[in-house]
Amino acid sequence: MTIQTARLRDPAVRAFVAAVNAHDRDAFQALLAPGATMADDGSDRDLDDWTDREIFSSHGHLEVDNESQGGRALLARYSNDTWGEMRTKWTFTVADDGRISRFETGQA
């Protein structure tokens, strides 16, 4: 059963999912702390290149099925025009200022 974005517990993660699903690059960038990093399937990636390719240019979309760790870990169905739909896991590190300093994703 999908968890509605508005019901996600962590405000930064909720805003992240909303920005991804709205394809709002500006809102997405505003959520990230300076020097934010990310990893995909255990390998660090260039955040700007990855998000452009995997989210914004390919119409990425998250449907969250489960959250844990206070809302900072998600199990979700992720889809985009390149890969179709896949079951994924997402974890987030949120800085003291409420912005995301790191996120990690990969197939679940």
Side-chain angles (χ1 to χ4, degrees):
M1 182 170 174
T2 301
I3 299 171
Q4 294 176 351
T5 301
R7 297 183 145 247
L8 295 172
R9 289 183 282 180
D10 187 273
V13 173
R14 182 172 53 243
F16 179 98
V17 172
V20 167
N21 289 348
H23 307 116
D24 188 339
R25 188 185 305 261
D26 292 336
F28 182 88
Q29 291 294 326
L31 295 168
L32 301 177
T37 61
M38 63 87 51
D40 183 8
D41 282 328
S43 297
D44 280 3
R45 307 285 186 192
D46 178 276
L47 189 137
D48 291 332
D49 176 62
W50 189 91
T51 56
D52 181 59
R53 186 180 66 253
E54 300 292 338
I55 296 174
F56 297 108
S57 294
S58 61
H59 306 103
H61 189 82
L62 278 163
E63 292 289 335
V64 178
D65 293 324
N66 190 8
E67 63 178 341
S68 59
Q69 298 177 18
R72 293 190 178 170
L74 307 177
L75 285 176
R77 285 169 284 127
Y78 184 75
S79 61
N80 67 23
D81 293 345
T82 303
W83 305 108
E85 185 175 300
M86 65 192 92
R87 187 160 170 78
T88 57
K89 59 186 175 186
W90 299 74
T91 58
F92 299 86
T93 304
V94 179
D96 291 340
D97 66 0
R99 293 190 288 173
I100 295 168
S101 59
R102 181 171 177 83
F103 69 91
E104 298 182 21
T105 187
Q107 293 198 41

